[in-house]
Amino acid sequence: MEGILELEREILLFFQDMVRNPVLNPVLILITTLGNGAIIWVLLSLGLMIPDKTRRAGMTSLLALVVSLLINNVLLKNLVGRVRPYDLLEGLTPLIGRQWDPSFPSGHTGSSFAAAWVLYRELPKRFGVPALILAGLIGLSRLYVGVHYPTDVLFGVISGIGSGWIAMQIMTIVMRRRDR
């Protein structure tokens, strides 16, 4: 376990010391802000609910966000209670304000991948692929700004895709029952 923490420390300090720069900083801060409260995904999902053709994708995406919220933010963050990296790793300075909740898993990454996975599976790839790219950028931005460990983000990806999958299964069951 100590080896993993040391690797995570090295990755975060690499981002801080070698990748951060005055041009990228505002871009990555903006990208990380898009994940705040999953607002970009909620708005996108609500917009998709307007046309009949994309309504199911929008509803499923919203459901995936709820599943992700319950798994990541309500259950796991409180169960694990991992301290934020800037509070533990000497020399790490976050680019954004202190976060109020525990570090594991990354809620920004989890919600982003929950919605993006649904959109990737339910919509044409020309919409789904950019959604996955945005989700990946939001996850990466959490490392860049120094508020998550790499394993927080990695598990956010896994739990987000799992949340999307769960939402798609629930929606399939609901739609089958409705059609009977």
Side-chain angles (χ1 to χ4, degrees):
M1 200 66 187
E2 191 66 34
I4 292 173
L5 184 58
E6 181 58 28
L7 178 61
E8 291 189 299
R9 178 185 170 284
E10 292 298 321
I11 290 169
L12 290 173
L13 291 176
F14 172 80
F15 270 99
Q16 177 177 279
D17 299 338
M18 305 301 283
V19 181
R20 282 186 188 173
N21 67 68
V23 174
L24 283 180
N25 288 357
V27 173
L28 273 291
I29 290 170
L30 173 65
I31 290 171
T32 214
T33 303
L34 291 175
N36 289 355
I39 193 67
I40 189 76
W41 303 108
V42 169
L43 293 174
L44 185 57
S45 299
L46 290 173
L48 287 168
M49 290 176 62
I50 296 169
D52 288 339
K53 193 174 182 179
T54 58
R55 186 165 295 139
R56 179 180 169 141
M59 290 171 36
T60 307
S61 179
L62 282 176
L63 180 57
L65 290 169
V66 171
V67 172
S68 176
L69 174 74
L70 293 173
I71 290 172
N72 292 322
N73 296 66
V74 174
L75 180 66
L76 291 175
K77 279 186 181 280
N78 293 306
L79 195 63
V80 175
R82 189 176 197 186
V83 175
R84 293 283 175 166
Y86 51 77
D87 286 331
L88 189 63
L89 303 178
E90 191 173 314
L92 182 65
T93 306
L95 287 182
I96 61 173
R98 300 183 76 72
Q99 307 296 289
W100 58 271
D101 58 346
S103 189
F104 183 89
S106 169
H108 280 67
T109 307
S111 61
S112 295
F113 273 91
W117 184 252
V118 168
L119 301 181
Y120 176 74
R121 297 299 308 247
E122 301 267 335
L123 295 175
K125 299 304 176 234
R126 69 179 186 269
F127 300 112
V129 170
L132 282 176
I133 291 169
L134 178 58
L137 288 172
I138 289 173
L140 187 64
S141 75
R142 304 305 283 169
L143 300 174
Y144 185 91
V145 300
V147 297
H148 278 292
Y149 298 93
T151 51
D152 299 345
V153 172
L154 176 62
F155 192 81
V157 172
I158 294 167
S159 69
I161 290 172
S163 297
W165 182 85
I166 290 168
M168 289 187 294
Q169 301 311 306
I170 292 170
M171 190 58 72
T172 297
I173 292 167
V174 167
M175 296 308 260
R176 281 186 192 148
R177 288 188 179 167
R178 187 194 76 167
D179 291 342
R180 283 189 208 168

